[in-house]
């Protein structure tokens, strides 16, 4: 084995992580023109997606569902609360539990963003079958890394 072969795995084009990273960054960048006029970020958007489907969720489970640590989630939710989109309330039974819920303003935003998924989908050059396959493969990777 030559020195070049020994380090072949360290070449950028041989890294699976790089196209995943670059693709994620590029897709998230596509959202910016939609979110900027609304004053929200992609990370706030995914919080909304969870809350629009559940209305209320325990802080811990929200972080787990979105793969966000406390250092990211706490300031994110604080900013969203300051903007009037959600509330955070401690449980009366156990003060360690914080319940995150949408306000009327948070629910109203749903109507303003409802067309974004289809508009973004038109920017991604994949068939419906390819999209489903990619989705399945990505969650397979996520699932294997959680263990």
């Amino acid at each position: 084995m030559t020195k070049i072969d020994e380090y072949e795995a360290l070449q950028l084009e041989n890294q699976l992580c790089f196209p995943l990273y670059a693709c994620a960054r590029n897709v998230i960048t596509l959202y910016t023109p939609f979110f900027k006029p609304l004053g929200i970020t992609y990370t706030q958007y995914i919080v909304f997606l969870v809350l629009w489907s559940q209305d209320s969720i325990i802080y811990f489970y929200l972080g787990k569902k979105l793969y966000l640590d406390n250092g990211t989630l706490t300031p994110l939710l604080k900013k969203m609360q300051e903007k009037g989109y959600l509330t955070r309330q401690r449980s009366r039974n156990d003060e360690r539990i914080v319940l995150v819920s949408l306000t009327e303003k948070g629910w109203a935003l749903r109507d303003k963003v409802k067309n974004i998924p289809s508009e973004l989908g038109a920017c991604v050059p994949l068939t419906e079958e390819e999209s489903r396959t990619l989705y399945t493969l990505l969650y397979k990777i996520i699932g294997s890394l959680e263990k």
Side-chain angles (χ1 to χ4, degrees), residues 43-63:
T43 314
Q44 291 171 338
Y45 174 68
I46 62 175
V47 169
F48 282 120
L49 292 178
V50 172
L51 291 172
W52 288 327
S53 68
Q54 291 188 235
D55 187 23
S56 293
I57 189 169
I58 294 172
Y59 172 94
F60 172 80
Y61 294 115
L62 179 61

Side-chain angles (χ1 to χ4, degrees), residues 32-95:
T32 303
F34 296 100
F35 294 157
K36 195 169 188 171
L38 301 171
I40 65 171
T41 65
Y42 177 79
T43 314
Q44 291 171 338
Y45 174 68
I46 62 175
V47 169
F48 282 120
L49 292 178
V50 172
L51 291 172
W52 288 327
S53 68
Q54 291 188 235
D55 187 23
S56 293
I57 189 169
I58 294 172
Y59 172 94
F60 172 80
Y61 294 115
L62 179 61
K64 196 167 179 60
K65 189 169 189 97
L66 296 175
Y67 302 94
L68 296 175
D69 60 33
N70 289 346
T72 302
L73 190 58
T74 297
L76 176 68
L77 295 180
K78 184 177 181 184
K79 188 174 273 190
M80 292 175 76
Q81 186 171 8
E82 288 169 357
K83 289 182 175 186
Y85 290 125
L86 56 81
T87 61
R88 296 176 294 160
Q89 290 185 311
R90 293 204 176 272
S91 168
R92 292 183 184 145
N93 300 333
D94 185 343
E95 287 197 9

Side-chain angles (χ1 to χ4, degrees), residues 120-132:
L120 258 287
C123 297
V124 179
L126 296 176
T127 66
E128 195 172 318
E129 183 180 340
E130 289 170 330
S131 292
R132 278 194 305 271

